[in-house]
Amino acid sequence: MTARPTLDSARRHVLAAATVVVLGIVWCVLHLGSGAGVEAVAYVFAPLGGVFSTAAVAHLVRRSPGLDPVAARFWRGILVAVTVIAAGYAWMAADMLAHASQSATRSMPPAAAAVSAAGFLIAIWSLARVPVVTSGAAERWRMALDRTIVFLGCAAMLWYAGLAPMLSAREPWSRQAMLLVGLGLLVAAGAATKVSYIAGGPVDRVAMRFVAAAGGLPSAVSAVLAVQFGVAGSIPAQACVLPFAPLLITLGVAAQVRADHGLRRGPARPGTLLPYLATVLADVPLIAVASGAPLRWPVRVVLIAAVVVTALVMVRQYLAYRENARLLRTAQIQEEQLKYEVSHDNLTGLANRALFRVRLAAALTGGPVSVLLIDLDDFKTVNDLLGHGVGDDLLVAVARLLRAEAGDDGLAVRVGGDEFAVLMTGPDPGELAARLLAALSYPISDHRLLVQASIGIADAAPDATTDSVLRDADVALYLAKQGGKAGSVRYADGMGEPVLAHMQLGGELRRALDDGEFRVVYQPIVRLDCNLVIGVEALVRWHHPERGVVSPAEFIPVAERTGLIVPLGRFVLRETCRQAAAWRAEFGPDGLAETGLNVSARQLHDPDFVADVAQALADTGLPCERLVLEVTESAVLRGQQVSRALSELDRMGIRLALDDFGTGESSLSLLRAFPASIVKLDKSFVDGIEVDDGRPADADARQAVARAVIQLANALRLDTVAEGIESPEQVAALLELGYTRGQGFYLGEPMSADAVSGLLARQRQTAPRVSEEMVAFRSHER
């Protein structure tokens, strides 16, 4: 692969071209000072420098296969241009050397001038093809105007100060020379215009400036020499001035090489002041005429250019005014949109929490203020079962309903999630709450869903703050949820104390989990015919360091609400499996048939629950069939995630028990859909089952559910356990109905693991009799 041009090679070309410049200057000084050499030698230095500039550009193009296509196209054009120009000046040098005696009066051969002129035109074409990236049609028009203004302004000044004086000089140069000087100035004006509007790109800006200087600087100096010294100025122009053009070209090549090696300067901002500077330049001749300069035809050309530039500037200013007005309108629209988005909910279009707090703070300085907090009941079920798209549609429908019911009397707000609010400063908020609850009793949204809501109402006290009003509304909403949902509660003094205590209890639960204050106790499950312990149900107790043993009825609902039921349940699961495995190791596989524990719906919704169960069994070595997980009917009906979890547990071989059976609305259908192995008759159907009041019809009525459950369980080959047994009479009644297992305070209160071990040890002392009874019992159940 061809190597890239190095900085050293670029420096060598620059040094060679600079050497030619120095030699030309030295020769010119010697010739003008002592008459050494013939004048024709002066014409050699420009084409000699052109050889080195051509070599530098050729080296860049040939040794840079990875050069950007745009840059490669530009430098190939410059290569052709400098080659052709150098050829034209070499032709002139050869002609002058061949006619050395006539060199003082001889002009450049027309053919040589034509060749050089073609080179200048190629350079102009190469510069013109360098792309200027714009962002749209308007930007292209603006840039085209700016570039036209700059070009005309620069060209007018160069014409006035450079080329025009050559035309009117006492000893004008040949037309060929003036043509080349004019083309050089044209290259300078075009390149300056182009490079001023290129913020960055494959062609280096510095390199293009050197190319512009290569055309403009020698031409401008040559024009000055022609005006000041006439034909005599051609010797220093040829020997000292024109060799600078190849040197500047090689400097441009070096700049491009530096850029290709990562040494490019940062992208510059296009010159926005250049059109105004060009306008000033175009006005310089006007100032000169106003100061008494003769009004000749070259000056008239400049005047016409100045008028055109002025007209273009006016057009440019008009376009700038329109663009600024458009940008101002766009900025105002964006500002208004941003303000709206900051203060409103994107989904529903209602005011958001930030605007709600601002409006509430402002309203508290005026008259009476009320706040309604509305929370949709069981909205998570909609997302879980129907998807978030349907849930979003429901939220939009609720927002539309709130806006319509609140009207002009209240500000409807989406606080977040499925929680909304209404800020009222006028009518009684209780009436609005009643209207909302009534409206929500009918299906809404495109999916015709029936959704209920709980509403908390708070009236601002005279000294209320934003936070205090929202806190009171939160308390009222919490109590509305606790009261059975689908209702409203209005805050009254003192309501917050029990709620605060409830919330504090949640914080203590977290600490208790970390400090190991929970204990697992076990209630025996007993054979009703012989009082034989065949299993246990694990129950959790909280041993508070100050309050003593806290009732599960007090802390389990808080654990459910806060989500702490998941880590608490995980602790009970692992401890139960560990203890069951220890009993099995101590008393053998016939010591305890099963160990059960309660599982909440919140745990079943946890995606890691099944994995936690599998890990607990693997860590303790407890067989799957020895673990019983008890779930309530309401938990089973909590969605697809719960159903999937229960099915996976059943496939693992874990036995599932339907707890509190008979208290739900779908008990019979559940037995067909739910993979249950055990049905636990709820205590409410055991209470009073033993009462004998002498009226058989009443006794049959009290025993109807218990009888139906045992018959259905037998038909479906399910085991049954009667809960809440508190007397021997209940045992007898249940035995008569066909129940073989039960639990309750009469059969055994919840006890420690050591107490259970004592029971099992005493049973083992009668091992032969117990073993025979266990075999007979299991055969009977099969």
Side-chain angles (χ1 to χ4, degrees):
M1 179 179 292
T2 305
R4 296 172 62 187
T6 64
L7 292 174
D8 291 338
S9 63
R11 292 191 187 101
R12 287 196 296 270
H13 289 114
V14 171
L15 181 60
T19 302
V20 174
V21 172
V22 172
L23 290 176
I25 294 173
V26 170
W27 180 89
C28 184
V29 171
L30 292 175
H31 175 76
L32 294 178
S34 61
V38 296
E39 294 183 1
V41 176
Y43 296 90
V44 173
F45 298 102
L48 182 60
V51 171
F52 294 112
S53 64
T54 301
V57 179
H59 189 71
L60 173 65
V61 174
R62 185 179 66 254
R63 302 296 293 274
S64 295
L67 194 65
D68 185 271
V70 173
R73 183 182 64 189
F74 170 76
W75 285 108
R76 282 196 295 269
I78 296 300
L79 174 61
V80 175
V82 296
T83 302
V84 172
I85 294 172
Y89 277 93
W91 189 338
M92 180 177 66
D95 182 79
M96 291 299 179
L97 290 173
H99 304 83
S101 59
Q102 305 173 12
S103 60
T105 58
R106 189 172 178 83
S107 300
M108 185 177 189
V115 170
S116 297
F120 279 110
L121 293 175
I122 293 172
I124 294 172
W125 175 246
S126 299
L127 288 167
R129 295 182 69 193
V130 176
V132 178
V133 179
T134 58
S135 57
E139 180 68 12
R140 286 196 296 271
W141 278 106
R142 183 194 68 77
M143 188 170 290
L145 280 173
D146 285 350
R147 292 166 66 187
T148 304
I149 292 169
V150 171
F151 179 78
L152 288 178
C154 294
M157 188 61 192
L158 292 174
W159 166 266
Y160 178 76
L163 194 60
M166 289 183 67
L167 297 174
S168 58
R170 294 187 306 274
E171 296 182 7
W173 286 8
S174 66
R175 295 178 179 176
Q176 299 93 309
M178 287 188 288
L179 172 64
L180 296 180
V181 169
L183 288 174
L185 295 176
L186 189 62
V187 169
T193 303
K194 172 70 72 169
V195 77
S196 297
Y197 289 94
I198 297 179
V203 181
D204 186 63
R205 288 170 53 85
V206 177
M208 290 190 66
R209 288 194 178 101
F210 278 121
V211 173
L217 183 62
S219 298
V221 176
S222 298
V224 172
L225 291 175
V227 172
Q228 295 297 325
F229 303 105
V231 176
S234 62
I235 298 301
Q238 293 290 337
C240 302
V241 177
L242 291 183
F244 271 96
L247 174 61
L248 292 170
I249 292 294
T250 57
L251 288 173
V253 171
Q256 183 68 54
V257 171
R258 285 176 56 84
D260 290 345
H261 281 77
L263 302 176
R264 184 198 299 269
R265 298 178 181 178
R269 185 175 60 186
T272 56
L273 297 178
L274 196 57
Y276 303 100
L277 178 61
T279 304
V280 173
L281 292 177
D283 289 338
V284 170
L286 299 179
I287 298 173
V289 172
S291 301
L295 185 61
R296 297 173 180 171
W297 73 268
V299 177
R300 289 190 177 93
V301 173
V302 175
L303 294 180
I304 294 172
V307 172
V308 174
V309 168
T310 304
L312 293 177
V313 169
M314 292 177 61
V315 174
R316 176 66 180 86
Q317 289 300 106
Y318 173 70
L319 293 179
Y321 165 77
R322 288 184 57 186
E323 180 66 13
N324 291 337
R326 186 188 66 81
L327 292 175
L328 181 59
R329 287 194 303 271
T330 302
Q332 290 174 341
I333 293 172
Q334 290 176 345
E335 182 180 2
E336 293 174 359
Q337 181 67 23
L338 182 60
K339 288 180 178 179
Y340 179 85
E341 291 177 354
V342 168
S343 60
H344 288 77
D345 175 58
N346 291 333
L347 177 63
T348 62
L350 297 182
N352 61 12
R353 182 189 292 270
L355 181 59
F356 178 41
R357 293 183 66 88
V358 171
R359 294 286 182 87
L360 176 57
L364 289 174
T365 62
V369 178
S370 300
V371 169
L372 287 80
L373 283 185
I374 303 107
D375 187 84
L376 303 184
D377 297 333
D378 301 320
F379 176 74
K380 187 177 183 299
T381 305
V382 176
N383 279 338
D384 290 344
L385 298 181
L386 302 179
H388 289 275
V390 176
D392 288 346
D393 291 342
L394 180 59
L395 292 176
V396 172
V398 172
R400 191 182 306 117
L401 175 64
L402 279 180
R403 192 183 291 110
E405 293 294 339
D408 298 331
D409 298 326
L411 173 67
V413 180
R414 185 187 179 196
V415 180
D418 61 337
E419 188 173 344
F420 296 84
V422 177
L423 172 63
M424 299 191 66
T425 56
D428 180 15
E431 296 180 0
L432 175 58
R435 292 202 308 271
L436 290 174
L437 292 174
L440 290 173
S441 64
Y442 297 95
I444 62 173
S445 86
D446 295 337
H447 298 85
R448 308 304 298 163
L449 299 177
L450 187 62
V451 62
Q452 295 177 326
S454 298
I455 303 176
I457 306 171
D459 301 311
D463 57 345
T465 63
T466 301
D467 290 332
S468 66
V469 175
L470 294 178
R471 184 184 62 243
D472 294 346
D474 267 326
V475 170
L477 176 61
Y478 178 82
L479 293 175
K481 288 281 189 183
Q482 293 295 103
K485 305 180 181 179
S488 64
V489 171
R490 197 162 191 164
Y491 181 82
D493 291 340
M495 276 186 177
E497 296 178 4
V499 175
L500 179 61
H502 202 60
M503 293 179 178
Q504 290 174 339
L505 186 62
E508 291 191 50
L509 273 175
R510 178 71 269 178
R511 178 194 55 76
L513 274 170
D514 296 336
D515 294 347
E517 295 177 5
F518 290 97
R519 303 288 185 271
V520 178
V521 296
Y522 303 89
Q523 185 173 29
I525 298 175
V526 178
R527 269 189 56 185
L528 297 180
D529 58 348
C530 62
N531 208 32
L532 180 67
V533 177
I534 60 171
V536 292
E537 178 182 351
L539 305 170
V540 65
R541 296 291 183 264
W542 181 8
H543 291 258
H544 196 283
E546 298 176 359
R547 299 171 56 189
V549 179
V550 181
S551 169
E554 184 176 352
F555 70 80
I556 290 297
V558 178
E560 288 274 6
R561 180 179 59 82
T562 59
L564 292 175
I565 193 67
V566 174
L568 178 59
R570 188 179 298 117
F571 160 74
V572 175
L573 169 68
R574 297 193 67 84
E575 178 62 21
T576 301
C577 290
R578 184 198 65 78
Q579 186 58 60
W583 284 326
R584 188 169 185 269
E586 182 178 358
F587 299 105
D590 293 331
L592 202 61
E594 60 192 37
T595 303
L597 68 150
N598 292 286
V599 177
S600 71
R602 191 73 175 264
Q603 289 176 270
L604 293 171
H605 272 292
D606 180 15
D608 296 327
F609 177 70
V610 175
D612 288 341
V613 174
Q615 189 64 47
L617 293 172
D619 292 344
T620 60
L622 183 68
C624 296
E625 65 273 9
R626 298 282 176 160
L627 181 64
V628 176
L629 298 181
E630 301 181 11
V631 295
T632 62
E633 297 177 51
S634 59
V636 175
L637 298 172
R638 292 295 292 271
Q640 295 179 354
Q641 172 62 28
V642 172
S643 298
R644 284 194 296 268
L646 293 174
S647 297
E648 290 181 31
L649 293 168
D650 180 61
R651 286 194 295 270
M652 290 168 58
I654 295 171
R655 304 183 72 198
L656 302 177
L658 200 56
D659 199 14
D660 301 334
F661 187 77
T663 58
E665 297 179 358
S666 305
S667 300
L668 299 181
S669 60
L670 273 180
L671 289 179
R672 299 185 59 186
F674 174 58
S677 298
I678 303 171
V679 173
K680 302 190 75 171
L681 181 68
D682 187 68
K683 180 182 184 300
S684 61
F685 303 113
V686 175
D687 292 340
I689 198 172
E690 80 286 4
V691 175
D692 185 4
D693 53 5
R695 291 179 292 187
D698 292 343
D700 288 342
R702 287 191 296 271
Q703 298 176 4
V705 173
R707 181 180 293 108
V709 169
I710 191 64
Q711 291 174 350
L712 188 60
N714 290 337
L716 297 176
R717 297 183 179 277
L718 303 177
D719 296 336
T720 55
V721 177
E723 298 181 295
I725 300 175
E726 298 181 352
S727 67
E729 291 79 12
Q730 289 178 345
V731 172
L734 289 168
L735 281 171
E736 185 178 350
L737 290 173
Y739 286 87
T740 57
R741 295 190 293 180
Q743 67 183 101
F745 277 21
Y746 170 71
L747 301 174
E749 296 184 5
M751 61 187 68
S752 66
D754 291 339
V756 174
S757 297
L759 282 177
L760 295 177
R762 287 192 293 273
Q763 287 186 172
R764 188 169 59 175
Q765 292 176 358
T766 59
R769 184 175 60 85
V770 170
S771 178
E772 292 174 3
E773 291 177 349
M774 287 292 293
V775 171
F777 175 73
R778 289 178 179 170
S779 298
H780 170 73
E781 289 205 330
R782 285 198 292 269

